[in-house]
Amino acid sequence: MHACFGGSAAANSRWRSLAKNWELYLFVLPAVAYIILYCYLPMYGVQIAFKDYRVGKGIEGSAWVGLKHFQKFLSTPSCLQLIRNTLNLSLYWLAVGFPMPILFALVVNELADGRFKKFIQTISYAPHFISTVVMVSMITMFLDASNGIVNKLIGYLGIGPYPFMTVAAWFPTIYVVSGVWQNLGWSAIIYFAALSGIDPELHEAAMIDGAGRLKRIWHINLPGILPTVTILLILSVGNIMSVGFEKVYLMQNALNTETSEIISTFVYKMGLQYNQYSYSSAIGLFNSAINFVLLVTVNFVTRRIGGTSLF
């Protein structure tokens, strides 16, 4: 009897809390609705990865084939190359693109002139708002072998012209460097926010003790933003197999597919160009499964080592 009243009291408490804070829940409602509509409901269609899907028969009417499409992908000669290209591009981006916003935020945070600091931040944010199509067009024009500004500049040094966009070995570098330039300032925003939350008294005490700027960055600023860095690193590793499709596809051509053909572009081609819906769904599900395993693993490791984790 006591347990029943206790449960009722807890339920009443929850309802009272909901009624008291209904504005906050209403504010969150659009985001929850978006996640349900665009993330959870579409998961119903994942089952076509295990079926021989036919548009005329629909999902329910299509024949169940189990792991046939997964086996087909893993047995194709291009499977290892697709995985290798995806990992190479992702790890390259993680090694270069992930730490650069951290370094940028630490450097800009040390600027004494407030106006100049705001100017640098504004300039660094601007490239983020350039669309992917325009960005790839700019890259193509800058690296054009005949009239590109890059080849013009290296031409003064007696080098080139060099067809960067048609050389497979250059594709990962072009992708990563252009991505760093476009997203450097925008990715650093969260680190600026974390740095602003560090108690200024810590720096004052360190300066009284004779600590220089580098020591204060190392012993105060870096530990202060470490939890934020850890969470973003977990999320980045969890998406390591999900390289941005649009930019890669637009930069791709017949001469650089040796390094530019990744899982996401292959899924697009199989699904929308060749109408192999079940096959492309199986590849996409395989890709997502790898990301999930990586996310859980890195989250577990960071929780054991530093005590910071997503869950």
Side-chain angles (χ1 to χ4, degrees), residues 41-55:
L41 290 182
M43 291 178 67
Y44 169 78
V46 169
Q47 60 182 301
I48 70 174
F50 304 94
K51 293 189 171 188
D52 190 9
Y53 178 68
R54 293 291 181 269
V55 177

Side-chain angles (χ1 to χ4, degrees), residues 103-232:
L103 295 174
F104 178 74
L106 291 171
V107 171
V108 174
N109 187 63
E110 294 300 313
L111 296 176
D113 190 335
R115 289 186 177 180
F116 182 63
K117 181 189 293 188
K118 291 181 180 179
F119 173 75
I120 293 296
Q121 288 177 312
T122 303
I123 292 299
S124 66
Y125 299 158
H128 174 77
F129 299 98
I130 301 174
S131 71
T132 305
V133 175
V134 175
M135 174 59 65
V136 174
S137 298
M138 292 170 61
I139 294 171
T140 303
M141 288 190 296
F142 291 160
L143 299 179
D144 183 74
S146 302
N147 301 308
I149 187 173
V150 174
N151 274 302
K152 293 288 186 182
L153 291 175
I154 64 175
Y156 292 124
L157 302 175
I159 305 173
Y162 198 79
F164 292 99
M165 295 298 292
T166 57
V167 178
W170 273 101
F171 181 86
T173 300
I174 296 171
Y175 176 87
V176 171
V177 171
S178 61
V180 169
W181 173 72
Q182 185 176 15
N183 298 301
L184 180 66
W186 186 259
S187 300
I189 290 177
I190 193 168
Y191 299 117
F192 286 127
L195 288 168
S196 66
I198 297 176
D199 190 349
E201 293 183 359
L202 295 175
H203 286 278
E204 294 173 3
M207 292 173 66
I208 293 173
D209 291 338
R213 179 168 293 181
L214 290 178
K215 284 189 176 181
R216 285 187 282 114
I217 291 174
W218 183 258
H219 294 287
I220 298 176
N221 288 352
L222 276 176
I225 66 174
L226 187 59
T228 303
V229 173
T230 303
I231 294 298
L232 292 178

Side-chain angles (χ1 to χ4, degrees), residues 18-301:
L18 179 63
K20 182 180 179 180
N21 302 295
W22 67 271
E23 298 97 337
L24 299 177
Y25 290 105
L26 185 63
F27 184 75
V28 174
L29 184 61
V32 174
Y34 175 85
I35 292 173
I36 293 173
L37 289 173
Y38 293 98
C39 296
Y40 284 97
L41 290 182
M43 291 178 67
Y44 169 78
V46 169
Q47 60 182 301
I48 70 174
F50 304 94
K51 293 189 171 188
D52 190 9
Y53 178 68
R54 293 291 181 269
V55 177
K57 296 181 178 180
I59 296 177
E60 296 297 333
S62 299
W64 182 272
V65 294
L67 300 177
K68 170 187 172 181
H69 301 297
F70 296 92
Q71 294 171 348
K72 177 183 176 181
F73 173 65
L74 294 175
S75 62
T76 55
S78 60
C79 175
L80 290 178
Q81 182 181 359
L82 290 170
I83 295 174
R84 183 172 59 250
N85 289 346
T86 304
L87 285 175
N88 285 343
L89 210 56
S90 297
L91 293 175
Y92 194 174
W93 170 256
L94 192 64
V96 178
F98 183 79
M100 288 301 293
I102 302 173
L103 295 174
F104 178 74
L106 291 171
V107 171
V108 174
N109 187 63
E110 294 300 313
L111 296 176
D113 190 335
R115 289 186 177 180
F116 182 63
K117 181 189 293 188
K118 291 181 180 179
F119 173 75
I120 293 296
Q121 288 177 312
T122 303
I123 292 299
S124 66
Y125 299 158
H128 174 77
F129 299 98
I130 301 174
S131 71
T132 305
V133 175
V134 175
M135 174 59 65
V136 174
S137 298
M138 292 170 61
I139 294 171
T140 303
M141 288 190 296
F142 291 160
L143 299 179
D144 183 74
S146 302
N147 301 308
I149 187 173
V150 174
N151 274 302
K152 293 288 186 182
L153 291 175
I154 64 175
Y156 292 124
L157 302 175
I159 305 173
Y162 198 79
F164 292 99
M165 295 298 292
T166 57
V167 178
W170 273 101
F171 181 86
T173 300
I174 296 171
Y175 176 87
V176 171
V177 171
S178 61
V180 169
W181 173 72
Q182 185 176 15
N183 298 301
L184 180 66
W186 186 259
S187 300
I189 290 177
I190 193 168
Y191 299 117
F192 286 127
L195 288 168
S196 66
I198 297 176
D199 190 349
E201 293 183 359
L202 295 175
H203 286 278
E204 294 173 3
M207 292 173 66
I208 293 173
D209 291 338
R213 179 168 293 181
L214 290 178
K215 284 189 176 181
R216 285 187 282 114
I217 291 174
W218 183 258
H219 294 287
I220 298 176
N221 288 352
L222 276 176
I225 66 174
L226 187 59
T228 303
V229 173
T230 303
I231 294 298
L232 292 178
L233 179 62
I234 294 171
L235 293 173
S236 296
V237 174
N239 287 312
I240 202 167
M241 296 292 289
S242 300
V243 183
F245 157 77
E246 296 89 353
K247 186 177 176 182
V248 175
Y249 184 72
L250 291 171
M251 291 176 60
Q252 196 176 83
N253 57 60
L255 299 176
N256 63 20
T257 52
E258 182 183 346
T259 57
S260 66
E261 187 73 290
I262 58 176
I263 291 178
S264 59
T265 58
F266 187 73
V267 167
Y268 170 80
K269 293 173 182 177
M270 291 296 105
L272 296 182
Q273 294 185 0
Y274 299 104
N275 299 325
Q276 298 185 32
Y277 303 115
S278 294
Y279 184 47
S280 61
S281 297
I283 301 171
L285 185 58
F286 169 77
N287 195 42
S288 299
I290 295 177
N291 281 334
F292 176 75
V293 172
L294 289 173
L295 176 65
V296 173
T297 303
V298 175
N299 186 77
F300 174 78
V301 172

